[in-house]
């Protein structure tokens, strides 16, 4: 009897990896991501014309920023195959690419990261971290830092994800598990943080505008979800780390470097040499110097990087709007300082060569971004995302259920929509005027509605190819496994999405039922 029970248990344990293997094979059997998005563009064009012929449209309320009043707007499907649609496609090729912010963020960040990596700073810091931390804490540290990286907007995608892969391979663990861990922290938990970030200010402003539709005297603060966010960070850190160690790494098995697409850089994890230690001291001095400079530029009331009208440092301020420049400068200065101290940088041309190498290695990614930028624009122009969002919102709003079930319905709708429409601000701009007034009339705290939106908007970010950085993660994976593809990444991320969604929803339910304050 006991043997039969153990056999069933082992079979159950093997079932999930087997399903993920099938998903990976199917996913990797699809065409190159560039071809996928070209196919999606063609499908969008056909779908947009069919909806146009059917005169598909929806009406919904929006808030006029000038009057703070509500207006009824009607959105109809726009065809990409009419004369006007063809003109749009023809004239938007370059503007679409130039306006795709992921390109600029990627190039600017990699200028600094490239110098830090080529000088040896990244490798030395990881080895120092590994040496100073108990082995069991590494997954938790990387997951925690990945979640907090959202305070620097999209910089975590460019820095933390590849760093997590390097960190795990340096201790003999599978680098793809590191990439998956980093991607889960950066993308699937993007909507929460222990710190207030620019996204919070925008979501709060949209929420307050929606509240004022029915109650002009009621508002929430930017910290309205702070307590829930802090606890969510702790819970999600544990979930991500355990998923990595209990599901992802056992499925991947031991890593063989002959799987890599090219020879990997040495990743020894022993004690640092005297030159490396001296380099870290120089880097620390560089970090202190650049931190002092930015403190002078931000902390005094007259600081030039504060909002010139309000004096605010967070929110819509020059400092927050240019935060990727801070990240680039920190890596650049500390990388150069480390290189001088360790002797890996001897001439100015060494720095230029490191920058050039970092940027030149992004040729394939930039090509992909050209195609993605066109798809995003055409998809938005067609109004298909708006039609989907409003139809789903109306269906949920008309459901005769209690407030908690309605909140859970909002979580589900947001999660489904997130697969095809990823911008967090744009989605909430559509949902907030529909749901927030409804819940206010049910005497539900608007902070709970915003918290529900955060739960729904997070996990799916790591499995939708429409995430602008999904293709970048595929590229990172191919560095360590030349056979990796879209299916590899989706199969890696599905366990994170499942467990993060389930446990985060349970946390939300427990929080709501216990009546705890959502924030300050």
């Amino acid at each position: 009897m006991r043997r039969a029970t153990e056999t069933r248990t082992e079979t159950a344990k093997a079932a999930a990896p087997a399903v993920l293997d099938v998903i990976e094979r199917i996913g990797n059997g699809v065409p190159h991501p560039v071809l996928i998005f070209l196919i999606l563009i063609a499908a969008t064009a056909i779908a947009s014309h069919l909806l146009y012929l059917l005169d598909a449209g929806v009406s919904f309320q929006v808030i006029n920023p000038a009057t703070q009043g509500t207006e009824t707007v009607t959105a109809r499907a726009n065809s990409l195959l009419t004369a006007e649609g063809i003109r749009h496609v023809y004239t938007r090729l370059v503007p679409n690419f130039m306006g795709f912010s992921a390109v600029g963020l990627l190039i600017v960040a990699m200028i600094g990261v490239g110098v830090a990596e080529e000088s040896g700073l990244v490798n030395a810091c990881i080895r120092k971290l590994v040496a100073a931390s108990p082995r069991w804490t590494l997954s938790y540290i990387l997951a925690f830092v990945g979640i907090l990286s959202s305070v620097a907007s999209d910089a975590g995608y460019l820095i933390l994800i590849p760093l997590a892969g390097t960190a795990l391979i340096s201790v003999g663990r599978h680098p793809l598990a590191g990439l998956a861990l980093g991607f889960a922290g950066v993308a699937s938990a993007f909507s929460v943080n222990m710190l207030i970030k620019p996204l919070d200010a925008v979501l709060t402003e949209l929420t307050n505008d929606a509240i004022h539709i029915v109650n002009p005297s009621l508002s929430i603060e930017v910290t309205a979800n702070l307590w829930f966010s802090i606890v969510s960070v702790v819970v999600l850190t544990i979930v991500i780390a355990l998923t990595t160690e209990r599901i992802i790494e056992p499925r991947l098995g031991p890593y063989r470097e002959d799987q890599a697409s090219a020879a990997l850089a040495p990743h020894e994890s022993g004690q640092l040499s005297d030159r490396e230690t001296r380099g870290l001291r120089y880097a620390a001095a560089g970090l202190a110097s650049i931190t002092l400079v930015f403190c002078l530029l931000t902390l005094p009331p007259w600081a030039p990087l504060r909002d010139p009208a309000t004096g605010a440092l967070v929110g819509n301020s020059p400092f927050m709007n240019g935060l990727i420049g801070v990240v680039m400068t920190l890596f650049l200065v500390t990388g150069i300082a480390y290189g001088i101290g360790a002797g890996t940088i001897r001439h100015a041309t060494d720095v230029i060569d490191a920058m050039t190498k970092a940027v030149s290695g992004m040729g394939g990614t930039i090509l992909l971004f050209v195609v993605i930028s066109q798809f995003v624009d055409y998809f938005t122009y067609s109004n298909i995302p708006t039609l989907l969002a409003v139809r789903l919102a109306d269906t949920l709003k008309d459901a005769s259920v209690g407030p908690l079930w309605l909140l859970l319905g909002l979580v589900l709708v947001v999660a489904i929509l997130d697969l095809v429409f990823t911008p967090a601000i744009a989605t909430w701009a559509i949902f907030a005027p529909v749901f927030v007034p409804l819940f206010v009339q049910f005497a539900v705290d608007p902070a709970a509605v915003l918290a529900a939106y955060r739960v729904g908007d997070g996990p799916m970010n790591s499995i939708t190819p429409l995430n602008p950085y999904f293709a970048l993660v595929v590229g990172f994976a191919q560095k360590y496994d030349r056979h990796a593809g879209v299916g590899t990444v989706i199969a890696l991320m599905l366990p994170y999405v499942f467990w993060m969604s389930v446990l985060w929803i349970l946390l939300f339910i427990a929080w709501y039922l216990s009546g705890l304050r959502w924030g300050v």
Side-chain angles (χ1 to χ4, degrees):
M1 184 69 179
R2 181 176 179 183
R3 182 180 298 274
T5 302
E6 291 177 351
T7 301
R8 287 194 297 270
T9 302
E10 293 299 322
T11 302
K13 288 182 178 179
V19 171
L20 295 177
D21 290 340
V22 172
I23 292 173
E24 179 176 356
R25 286 195 296 272
I26 294 174
N28 288 343
V30 301
H32 188 281
V34 170
L35 295 178
I36 291 175
F37 278 97
L38 290 175
I39 293 170
L40 288 174
I41 288 173
T44 299
I46 295 171
S48 69
H49 194 64
L50 291 175
L51 291 172
Y52 171 78
L53 294 177
L54 294 171
D55 195 29
V58 292
S59 297
F60 56 98
Q61 286 189 321
V62 297
I63 300 169
N64 187 325
T67 64
Q68 296 299 312
T70 59
E71 298 177 355
T72 300
V73 175
T74 299
R76 299 196 176 279
N78 294 322
S79 173
L80 291 165
L81 299 180
T82 61
E84 184 178 353
I86 292 172
R87 284 193 292 269
H88 179 87
V89 171
Y90 180 79
T91 58
R92 292 295 301 174
L93 180 62
V94 174
N96 288 344
F97 178 64
M98 297 302 293
F100 198 56
S101 60
V103 179
L105 289 170
L106 176 64
I107 294 176
V108 170
M110 288 307 294
I111 288 175
V113 174
V115 173
E117 186 172 7
E118 195 68 16
S119 69
L121 173 61
V122 173
N123 182 278
C125 285
I126 291 172
R127 288 164 57 204
K128 186 72 172 178
L129 173 66
V130 170
S133 305
R135 183 183 178 89
W136 67 270
T137 64
L138 186 57
S139 297
Y140 296 88
I141 292 172
L142 292 172
F144 181 70
V145 174
I147 296 174
L148 294 190
S149 70
S150 63
V151 74
S153 189
D154 295 343
Y157 287 98
L158 312 173
I159 299 165
L160 193 281
I161 295 175
L163 187 148
T166 305
L168 260 61
I169 196 175
S170 71
V171 294
R173 296 167 63 180
H174 206 296
L176 291 187
L179 296 180
L181 182 155
F183 196 18
V186 173
S188 290
F190 186 82
S191 59
V192 292
N193 206 298
M194 286 189 168
L195 305 171
I196 300 300
K197 56 185 180 178
L199 177 66
D200 296 323
V202 179
L203 295 181
T204 301
E205 182 179 353
L206 291 172
T207 304
N208 282 331
D209 288 341
I211 295 170
H212 297 160
I213 295 174
V214 293
N215 189 345
S217 63
L218 178 64
S219 296
I220 62 173
E221 300 295 331
V222 72
T223 55
N225 280 164
L226 183 60
W227 304 141
F228 179 71
S229 292
I230 290 175
V231 175
S232 294
V233 169
V234 175
V235 171
L236 295 179
T237 296
I238 296 171
V239 172
I240 292 171
L242 289 178
T243 302
T244 303
E245 296 175 351
R246 303 291 177 85
I247 299 176
I248 304 301
E249 291 189 90
R251 172 177 173 262
L252 291 172
Y255 179 65
R256 303 191 320 272
E257 291 197 4
D258 59 3
Q259 298 174 245
S261 58
L264 297 176
H267 49 267
E268 65 276 13
S269 56
Q271 293 294 321
L272 300 180
S273 67
D274 291 340
R275 288 171 51 177
E276 290 172 323
T277 301
R278 184 171 65 250
L280 286 180
R281 287 200 298 267
Y282 276 51
L287 176 63
S289 300
I290 200 65
T291 301
L292 177 61
V293 170
F294 277 109
C295 284
L296 293 175
L297 293 174
T298 56
L299 296 183
W302 44 263
L305 295 186
R306 288 181 174 272
D307 188 309
T310 65
L313 185 60
V314 298
N316 187 28
S317 68
F319 174 71
M320 298 305 295
N321 291 337
L323 204 55
I324 193 66
V326 178
V327 173
M328 185 270 289
T329 304
L330 288 174
F331 276 93
L332 184 61
V333 171
T334 54
I336 293 174
Y338 175 87
I340 294 173
T344 55
I345 292 180
R346 301 181 183 278
H347 307 284
T349 53
D350 294 334
V351 178
I352 303 300
D353 289 343
M355 294 178 180
T356 303
K357 181 179 178 180
V359 175
S360 63
M362 297 185 296
T365 301
I366 292 175
L367 170 63
L368 183 59
F369 280 177
V370 172
V371 182
I372 292 176
S373 65
Q374 309 309 315
F375 170 74
V376 171
D377 176 78
Y378 302 158
F379 195 51
T380 303
Y381 174 82
S382 71
N383 267 342
I384 292 176
T386 302
L387 298 179
L388 283 173
V390 175
R391 292 294 186 191
L392 287 172
D394 287 344
T395 300
L396 186 59
K397 184 176 65 173
D398 294 338
S400 300
V401 295
L404 177 58
W405 288 106
L406 196 57
L407 285 168
L408 295 178
L410 174 60
V411 172
L412 179 61
V413 168
V414 172
I416 293 173
L417 186 64
D418 202 41
L419 290 171
V420 295
F421 192 53
T422 58
I425 294 174
T427 305
W428 190 231
I430 295 173
F431 279 176
V434 176
F435 286 106
V436 173
L438 177 65
F439 282 106
V440 169
Q441 294 178 67
F442 286 161
V444 174
D445 187 350
V449 188
L450 182 54
Y453 176 73
R454 293 181 191 273
V455 174
D457 184 60
M460 295 297 180
N461 287 332
S462 61
I463 60 170
T464 171
L466 299 190
N467 181 336
Y469 294 101
F470 184 90
L472 187 66
V473 178
V474 175
F476 290 150
Q478 289 172 341
K479 172 184 174 182
Y480 296 109
D481 183 352
R482 57 183 174 275
H483 300 300
V486 172
T488 302
V489 176
I490 292 178
L492 284 172
M493 301 314 300
L494 277 175
Y496 293 103
V497 172
F498 176 79
W499 286 111
M500 290 177 71
S501 298
V502 169
L503 296 176
W504 205 354
I505 289 173
L506 290 176
L507 173 65
F508 176 83
I509 293 173
W511 202 287
Y512 178 86
L513 293 177
S514 64
L516 295 173
R517 288 179 58 86
W518 298 93
V520 180

